[in-house]
Amino acid sequence: VAEDVAAREGETEASSGHGLSAQFIETITRALEHGDLATAKSLALPLHYSDLGDLIETLDIEQRSKLIDQIRDDFDPVVLTELDETVREQVIEQLGMKEVAEAVAEMDSDDAIFVVGELEQHEQDALLASLPAEDRTVIREGLAYERAPRAA
């Protein structure tokens, strides 16, 4: 896996805004499978949040779990908006509601409203209860606006 790190610069640049190459995904997958978690982390963290979301979705559940454990302290909460519902729920469960609430509190309000709105009602309630009052109010108002019927 270490020899693959030499290609990191080109792979990261090639993936910016253009999707991830199969070789880049394979490099991270092999690093995770061989326990080279530092390499996986160093390759994943510089990615744009949409590319990181694609990577997380591409990995199997075991690899995803390993990667999330490695990047949890530096996890960009906007990545949650890029994940499909099933994967997002797995990531939220792994990170824990407290960490997700802290991440949501750091998001732009539109992204926070989107992420919270995608959760099940009991998860929304738990997450909102964990937020500071000001953030909770903004998100609740945004959710109410999103759910309000519109005139045709």
Side-chain angles (χ1 to χ4, degrees):
V1 174
E3 61 273 6
D4 294 323
V5 177
R8 176 176 175 233
E9 294 294 322
E11 288 294 332
T12 301
E13 289 173 15
S15 68
S16 291
H18 305 294
L20 300 173
S21 71
Q23 182 181 2
F24 184 80
I25 292 170
E26 178 64 22
T27 299
I28 290 183
T29 300
R30 277 190 275 139
L32 292 167
E33 288 172 354
H34 291 98
D36 189 357
L37 303 178
T39 295
K41 179 179 180 176
S42 70
L43 291 171
L45 280 179
L47 293 174
H48 184 271
Y49 69 87
S50 63
D51 289 334
L52 183 55
D54 289 344
L55 173 63
I56 290 169
E57 287 185 340
T58 300
L59 299 173
D60 68 34
I61 194 164
E62 184 180 323
Q63 295 165 343
R64 183 181 308 130
S65 178
K66 288 178 183 179
L67 183 63
I68 296 300
D69 280 344
Q70 289 303 302
I71 65 173
R72 74 181 317 130
D73 292 338
D74 301 300
F75 187 77
D76 182 351
V78 180
V79 171
L80 295 171
T81 66
E82 298 295 319
L83 302 175
D84 74 30
E85 184 176 354
T86 302
V87 174
R88 183 172 49 249
E89 288 176 4
Q90 291 169 350
V91 170
I92 288 170
E93 183 177 321
Q94 184 174 354
L95 291 173
M97 195 57 73
K98 181 181 177 199
E99 284 188 52
V100 173
E102 290 171 3
V104 166
E106 294 175 19
M107 294 175 132
D108 291 335
S109 60
D110 289 346
D111 288 335
I113 291 164
F114 173 77
V115 170
V116 173
E118 292 294 310
L119 301 175
E120 298 292 328
Q121 187 62 50
H122 70 278
E123 293 171 321
Q124 286 183 19
D125 294 341
L127 188 134
L128 289 169
S130 300
L131 290 173
E134 183 178 328
D135 293 331
R136 185 172 42 243
T137 300
V138 168
I139 292 172
R140 281 194 173 135
E141 288 174 358
L143 289 171
Y145 178 80
E146 293 288 322
R147 294 177 182 147
R150 306 281 193 287

